[in-house]
Structure formats: structure tokens, C-alpha cells
Amino acid sequence: AQKVTQAQTEISVVEKEDVTLDCVYETRDTTYYLFWYKQPPSGELVFLIRRNSFDEQNEISGRYSWNFQKSTSSFNFTITASQVVDSAVYFCALRGGMDSSYKLIFGSGTRLLVRP
Amino acid sequence: ETGVTQTPRHLVMGMTNKKSLKCEQHLGHNAMYWYKQSAKKPLELMFVYNFKEQTENNSVPSRFSPECPNSSHLFLHLHTLQPEDSALYLCASSQEVGGGGNQPQHFGDGTRLSIL
């Protein structure tokens, strides 16, 4: 069975603080893909990043960085110098590579509130 | 502008009404999806269409009826809904090649549905 756990339901930080959103996944597939999405109050899910299971390099994009560790089945997301506009719900998602159904398994999401 | 447009943005209907949700994608993708997002529950995949053919029905009640006339348009026909069907309904699309599963899904803003 595939599962994504985001243990942090809600995080509140003050602007300019760094914040890390945790994501732990379970899968039996040897090839799989991990995603992060942002859902602002407007409702749409905005794609942030995709990671392949065979590529464990960490990635940085501006103030965003992702730490993928297969040994602990984690794919954590860090926002550096947070801003009020970062306030949103963030979802981690998993998709098995051998699954022919295109099913994307989402975590329950972490609500991030960045206060001025 | 996300490339995936959903209408209406908000819908209030009685349990005996019949209505339809519409989704249109302008990204040239070949797969489209319906998701349900309820309060305090993870995003739930409802239906998947690939090249207009339904490839997944995730045990959705028959009061939800999808229709995909072409790769750019997806409808969700609703009839005799229940109060627990009140939720945000999200449409997504992706460009799938075979069963790879590594392509990100791009989401619309969603339709917020309230059942009286």
C-alpha cells in the first residue's frame, strides 16, 4: 500500500523565519515519484517540484529547498526567509512508477501561516 | 492563469437538483482527473480519463457521472447529491506517456459545492 504522512497539521511562523515541512512516505515500488504542491486560499493546487526515486540530489529553487532521503523515506520541504505570501496549505504526494493507473496519493497537508 | 479552467467557481444546490461541473484544459494534455477535497480529509481521486477513455473510477457513487467528450474537456454531472458531498471539486490534467507516472498534474481553481 502507498501512503503519505504529513504529521504537521499547522505551522505558524513569523516572517523571515525558516520553516521545514515534513513528509514521510510508504511504498513498495522501487521506482516512484514524489511531488509537492501549494494550495493558496484561492483553491488551486500549484505544482512546486517533482522528484524521481532514483535521484537523491537535493534541490534548491530560490527560497525553496527539498531534502530527499530514501533511507528514511522522507521528502522534506524548507522555506528560507519565509514571507506572508507563503501562507498556504502544502501537500506532499506520491505516485508509483509501476502503477499503470496514474493515481497520485496525497498527504493530508500542512497549513503554513506566516505572520508579519 | 493555470491552464486548467473550472466553472462554476461556486455552486449551491438542493439534493434533488441536477447540475454539471465543467473543466477545460488549454495545455494540450492527454489525461484529466476529478478530485474531491473535503474538510479534514486528504484529496481523494475520483476519476481518471486518458485519451478520453475512463481508466479509473475510485469507487465513486453513481450520483456522480463523469463525461469526457475530448481530451480538453471534462464534465462531472451531479444528481440527487447528499449533504456529505459538499466539498471542493478539483480538476487536473497531465501529459502522460505510457504508464510512467512521473508527470506533474496541473490543477484548476476548483468548484466549491454546497448541498442544502
Side-chain angles (χ1 to χ4, degrees):
Chain A
Q2 299 186 339
K3 185 179 178 183
V4 176
T5 302
Q6 294 180 256
Q8 303 152 308
T9 305
E10 189 165 323
I11 300 175
S12 180
V13 299
V14 177
E15 204 169 19
K16 298 184 183 177
E17 282 186 28
D18 298 347
V19 58
T20 296
L21 310 181
D22 298 334
C23 173
V24 174
Y25 62 91
E26 296 175 29
T27 181
R28 292 181 181 172
D29 291 337
T30 52
T31 300
Y32 51 89
Y33 306 93
L34 295 162
F35 303 81
W36 275 96
Y37 284 86
K38 173 183 179 181
Q39 187 177 37
S42 58
E44 76 179 89
L45 272 84
V46 178
F47 165 70
L48 296 178
I49 190 172
R50 175 192 68 212
R51 213 79 190 118
N52 304 330
S53 55
F54 45 86
D55 181 1
E56 286 196 70
Q57 277 192 338
N58 291 327
E59 185 157 337
I60 297 175
S61 176
R63 296 184 295 108
Y64 295 171
S65 62
W66 290 269
N67 182 5
F68 176 32
Q69 293 196 341
K70 287 181 78 170
S71 60
T72 56
S73 297
S74 66
F75 185 40
N76 296 338
F77 173 29
T78 297
I79 302 176
T80 303
S82 60
Q83 300 176 1
V84 172
V85 293
D86 296 327
S87 296
V89 181
Y90 290 85
F91 292 93
C92 180
L94 165 71
R95 193 162 166 186
M98 298 304 291
D99 184 354
S100 61
S101 77
Y102 311 110
K103 201 166 190 173
L104 196 59
I105 307 298
F106 283 87
S108 54
T110 297
R111 182 177 299 278
L112 174 65
L113 175 63
V114 181
R115 294 171 281 126
Chain B
E1 180 64 45
T2 65
V4 180
T5 305
Q6 288 187 244
T7 54
R9 289 298 309 277
H10 302 273
L11 179 62
V12 180
M13 58 187 285
M15 288 191 284
T16 57
N17 291 156
K18 289 185 181 181
K19 295 285 184 184
S20 296
L21 308 185
K22 179 182 175 182
C23 176
E24 183 175 359
Q25 59 98 358
H26 314 277
L27 301 169
H29 291 165
N30 57 15
M32 297 187 76
Y33 313 77
W34 279 117
Y35 286 87
K36 177 183 178 182
Q37 187 177 28
S38 307
K40 300 180 182 178
K41 288 180 77 174
L43 273 150
E44 301 172 75
L45 178 66
M46 300 175 71
F47 301 103
V48 181
Y49 277 82
N50 190 21
F51 287 107
K52 304 186 298 178
E53 299 297 321
Q54 186 179 124
T55 56
E56 180 140 354
N57 176 337
N58 201 25
S59 302
V60 180
S62 60
R63 57 186 184 269
F64 294 92
S65 174
E67 178 190 0
C68 188
N70 55 61
S71 294
S72 300
H73 293 86
L74 184 65
F75 295 90
L76 188 62
H77 303 301
L78 317 170
H79 65 98
T80 58
L81 295 192
Q82 304 299 309
E84 61 265 28
D85 296 324
S86 297
L88 179 68
Y89 289 84
L90 289 157
C91 174
S93 71
S94 66
Q95 182 62 24
E96 300 296 334
V97 179
N102 66 344
Q103 299 304 311
Q105 295 176 17
H106 297 263
F107 287 79
D109 291 341
T111 294
R112 188 160 297 282
L113 177 65
S114 299
I115 307 299
L116 302 178

